[in-house]
Amino acid sequence: MLPHKITQYLHNIFRKNETNLHILNYLFWECTQRCNLHCLHCGSDCIADAKTPDMPFEDFLQAILPLKDAYEPDSITVAITGGEPLLRKDLPQCGKTLRKHGFRWGIVTNGYAYNAEIHAKLLSAGMGAVTLSLDGFEESHNWLRANQNSFSHAVKALDLITSSDRLFYDVVTCVHQRNIRELESFKEFLISKHVKAWRLFTIAPIGRAAARSELRLTTEDLHFLMDFIAKARADKRIDTKFSCEAYVGNYETKVRDCYFFCRAGINIASVLIDGSISACPNINRHFVQGNIYRDAFLDVWHKRFEVMRNREWTKTGICSACKKHKYCNGGAMHLWNEQQDGIMLCINKELSAGKT
Amino acid sequence: MEKFITKKRKILRNIFRGLSLTSIAFVFQACYGIERDFGNDILVEGVVTTRGNKPIEGIKVSYDNSLQYELTDSEGKYSFYTYKAELNMKFEDIDSIQNGLFLPQEMLVHITANRVKLNVKLDAAP
């Protein structure tokens, strides 16, 4: 095994090369802003009756079809998100059309509307991947999701998803002060449900979560979470990982497969509900790079996104004198706001502050 | 010149791919997104007609007692994705007399390509 400093150095070269190449292989489509839940932490602030209507599928399709000339469509994963994508009645048809054009696709869902019928339809439509939100046991999950039936619905969805040999899937859990102490027993629950992959998040102070301090983890909680993930990874009973939301210093590679690398605008793009072209949907809309209703998507991808491909500007605020900046490159894009005057929070800094 | 630089970068990329021994560094997942799908699947499609080549709408096309099924459209067309290389396919008239009455048909299909065309003719019920 190479020493950590050498592998981190090599990773930096790799990251720079990937940035220069900026090959698109991950595309979010924010197909709706409607949602059947009203989660306390929603980064998109979605509601049941969104003001912006769902994007017609044909608009999205026409915008992305030129990608087939530039890339192998099979190498591009379309992550259909929202809102709750299952609220779109035409979702299977959208997916099947994408698949027939060669694109891979899947959904990010809260599972509330996921039943046997829709499961079968989505599989028939060539869906290859699902991410399901499950935020702990019934009490914790229902509290965060603000719905007393959300846990039971999500577990039914989980049973269907895990029953499929075709799907690539994972469960994501947003960790907060109310559920962090139940992670160990929740891990056993997921294993009993035959879940193979589990991703854990903290909750970023954006959208509705910005106003709820109890959703933020303390420094002690963060250490607990990192140690928990590292231990779960070591026992290999379930593929557990910390999401790629932040650089975590000495915990890097202990809590996920590879070093932190925010690929927003480097390998990841999105088409948002109003046609805006950006990277991950949770990134501040100030960073929008174009719009499919005025710009050619591929032109925007090739010629813009400079703000995400050259992140020297992130050396500001708490990052300005930080020696770790060369590793994190300014952290995750969704933690920067329109002022661009400092990252909202740095998990590595919080972890370091808690060192005894 | 730009093409040369891009080629160089792609070579460097492949070196990294080789050095990492796995594809871990390349098989990333956006932080709020799904896993990448590298599964193999097969598109099965076709047309269901009468013996006289008239398309039949509303025929249920299913396989292996799975939950998955499709209904043929007004042109008798159906299509679905599956990952299975061997299917016991069933074609059933489930809408009673609405589009005529037809006898069910079953067939074992071995799939060797990633796209299969399977047209079926159904016999009218006596």
Side-chain angles (χ1 to χ4, degrees), chain A residues 190-211:
Chain A
L190 293 179
I191 292 169
S192 75
K193 288 284 182 186
H194 312 291
V195 173
K196 294 186 181 105
W198 185 26
R199 245 178 331 149
L200 295 111
F201 285 71
T202 64
I203 298 173
I206 53 178
R208 271 176 225 147

Side-chain angles (χ1 to χ4, degrees), chain A residues 215-263:
Chain A
L215 297 178
R216 295 290 315 146
L217 297 180
T218 64
T219 301
E220 185 191 349
D221 290 338
L222 283 171
H223 277 286
F224 179 91
L225 176 61
M226 295 300 134
D227 291 335
F228 169 79
I229 296 172
K231 188 164 167 272
R233 286 175 67 78
D235 75 23
K236 294 183 179 174
R237 293 172 62 220
I238 178 170
D239 178 16
T240 310
K241 56 174 82 98
F242 184 52
S243 78
C244 206
E245 63 179 289
Y247 173 76
V248 287
N250 292 334
Y251 286 105
E252 288 286 308
T253 69
K254 289 181 192 161
V255 294
R256 58 170 93 89
D257 296 332
C258 53
Y259 290 106
F260 172 74
F261 180 9
C262 174
R263 295 177 187 255

Side-chain angles (χ1 to χ4, degrees), chain A residues 8-300:
Chain A
Q8 179 78 73
Y9 173 75
L10 289 172
H11 178 77
N12 282 4
I13 298 173
F14 165 74
R15 186 182 67 204
K16 192 173 177 189
N17 195 56
E18 286 293 290
T19 305
N20 288 331
L21 281 170
H22 54 82
I23 294 168
L24 178 66
N25 39 33
Y26 206 101
L27 178 63
F28 281 101
W29 178 35
E30 189 182 47
C31 70
T32 182
Q33 277 193 335
R34 291 180 294 133
C35 191
N36 45 10
L37 294 178
H38 192 79
C39 307
L40 304 184
H41 65 307
C42 182
S44 310
D45 219 5
C46 294
I47 49 174
D49 294 309
K51 284 176 190 152
T52 313
D54 294 358
M55 179 184 288
F57 173 67
E58 196 57 30
D59 295 358
F60 173 69
L61 183 67
Q62 290 310 316
I64 68 161
L65 278 181
L67 291 174
K68 289 172 71 172
D69 299 329
Y71 303 103
E72 284 294 327
D74 203 33
S75 71
I76 297 177
T77 297
V78 179
I80 303 180
T81 183
E84 172 52 48
L86 292 176
L87 294 187
R88 277 188 76 123
K89 298 290 177 220
D90 62 348
L91 182 63
Q93 196 50 48
C94 298
K96 190 185 271 184
T97 306
L98 286 172
R99 192 73 195 92
K100 283 188 173 177
H101 281 287
F103 298 104
R104 300 283 179 159
W105 71 280
I107 60 169
V108 180
T109 178
N110 61 38
Y112 197 81
Y114 201 99
N115 56 34
E117 187 187 357
I118 189 73
H119 174 69
K121 280 184 180 170
L122 295 173
L123 286 175
S124 286
M127 180 173 75
V130 184
T131 284
L132 176 73
S133 298
L134 199 54
D135 302 309
F137 287 112
E138 189 157 12
E139 193 182 333
S140 310
H141 180 89
N142 287 349
W143 172 74
L144 190 67
R145 301 280 157 183
N147 184 302
Q148 288 310 302
N149 299 314
S150 59
F151 180 80
S152 59
H153 282 239
V155 170
K156 279 179 196 161
L158 181 65
D159 289 337
L160 288 165
I161 291 164
T162 56
S163 71
S164 167
D165 294 328
R166 165 69 182 92
L167 289 174
F168 286 74
Y169 68 86
D170 64 356
V171 167
V172 299
T173 298
C174 292
V175 182
H176 50 83
Q177 289 180 26
R178 287 202 186 197
N179 67 1
I180 189 164
R181 305 295 157 186
E182 66 187 42
L183 289 179
E184 187 61 49
S185 48
F186 191 61
K187 181 184 83 175
E188 294 303 323
F189 170 76
L190 293 179
I191 292 169
S192 75
K193 288 284 182 186
H194 312 291
V195 173
K196 294 186 181 105
W198 185 26
R199 245 178 331 149
L200 295 111
F201 285 71
T202 64
I203 298 173
I206 53 178
R208 271 176 225 147
R212 302 197 75 119
S213 60
E214 75 267 38
L215 297 178
R216 295 290 315 146
L217 297 180
T218 64
T219 301
E220 185 191 349
D221 290 338
L222 283 171
H223 277 286
F224 179 91
L225 176 61
M226 295 300 134
D227 291 335
F228 169 79
I229 296 172
K231 188 164 167 272
R233 286 175 67 78
D235 75 23
K236 294 183 179 174
R237 293 172 62 220
I238 178 170
D239 178 16
T240 310
K241 56 174 82 98
F242 184 52
S243 78
C244 206
E245 63 179 289
Y247 173 76
V248 287
N250 292 334
Y251 286 105
E252 288 286 308
T253 69
K254 289 181 192 161
V255 294
R256 58 170 93 89
D257 296 332
C258 53
Y259 290 106
F260 172 74
F261 180 9
C262 174
R263 295 177 187 255
I266 295 164
N267 304 109
I268 302 168
S270 65
V271 174
L272 303 176
I273 188 71
D274 61 351
S276 296
I277 300 167
S278 185
C280 306
N282 58 344
I283 290 174
N284 190 298
R285 309 260 153 151
H286 164 76
F287 293 104
V288 162
Q289 300 294 303
N291 191 295
I292 60 164
Y293 294 111
R294 335 179 264 276
D295 306 303
F297 181 89
L298 205 51
D299 270 359
V300 174

Side-chain angles (χ1 to χ4, degrees), chain A residues 302-353:
Chain A
H302 284 320
K303 296 175 184 164
R304 300 185 197 170
F305 283 95
E306 181 63 13
V307 72
M308 300 183 206
R309 292 171 191 166
N310 180 355
R311 301 197 189 179
E312 280 299 301
W313 61 268
T314 59
K315 285 183 181 171
T316 182
I318 58 170
C319 302
S320 59
C322 181
K323 288 179 181 171
K324 302 291 184 187
H325 187 277
K326 62 181 175 232
Y327 301 136
C328 75
N329 205 21
M333 273 302 298
H334 69 271
L335 293 175
W336 289 86
N337 61 23
E338 61 269 36
Q339 281 82 37
Q340 294 181 231
D341 57 358
I343 195 163
M344 286 175 214
L345 76 119
C346 171
I347 289 184
N348 185 52
K349 205 167 186 66
E350 292 190 24
L351 286 166
S352 305

Side-chain angles (χ1 to χ4, degrees), chain B residues 115-126:
Chain B
R115 193 166 186 153
V116 174
K117 197 129 193 157
L118 190 67
N119 297 333
V120 172
K121 291 183 192 299
L122 295 186
D123 291 315

